[in-house]
Amino acid sequence: MSMIRFLGHSAFHVSAPGLEGLIDPFLKGNDQAVVQPGDFSSLTHLFVTHGHWDHIGDTIELGLKTGATVVANAELCRYFSGKGLKTHPMYIGGWVPFPFGRVKFVPAMHGSGIMEGDQAVYGGIAVGIVLEVGKFRIYHAGDTGLTAEMGLLEALKIDLALLPIGGCYVMDIPDALRALEMIRPRRVVPMHYNTFPGIEAAPEEFLEALPEWTVGIRLDPGQSLQF
Ligand code: NI
Ligand code: MN
């Protein structure tokens, strides 16, 4: 049995044969989070879409504790390997095989700098992540504005899209609805809203506006769906 569980903000836990993974594991300091780094004792992979604090989150602590491999862009992987973590660098490009399936990085329109003290460390460019777990394809958009590149994703036949809707730093609801028309996923879950000031959004407004050819699912932190 495979499942994906929402951990609040843009953080998700994906469990499947060969995979105990977290995506953008922002838990400490995330008021929505219902789990904390201490709740995870064995993880295989940590996927990080970009270098902002609300996406790197607890990656370093979790990676050191569990030995999980960080899967991220090349510059972020350099940063994490400098912290003693195992890494698997890749970039926007083709499919890369993993024990659980395949991973493909796709464009996101966003920054990726890492704030360390009062310094900004260059973190490459932000990505979206397509996880092919068995035959199931999950698209985690990361942080992104609406961008025409999303039109390339329809060909990937996404089963489940995780789209930011909170605006300000990412798509708002009207933009996410336009993105959906390009991506054409079978199911969609909204994320990246109501976690901190500036990204207030009503997920029910997004779900009520969905076209009939897709299924919208509201996941509250801690809730999961099976695939
Ligand atoms: Ni960001
Ligand atoms: Mn963010």
Side-chain angles (χ1 to χ4, degrees), residues 50 52-55 110-111 143 169-170 192:
H50 66 288
H52 292 161
W53 59 274
D54 56 319
H55 298 262
H110 195 72
D143 277 0
Y169 307 100
V170 296
H192 207 279

Side-chain angles (χ1 to χ4, degrees), residues 99-114:
F100 55 83
R102 299 189 296 175
V103 180
K104 184 179 178 69
F105 281 3
V106 297
M109 193 66 83
H110 195 72
S112 184
I114 308 159

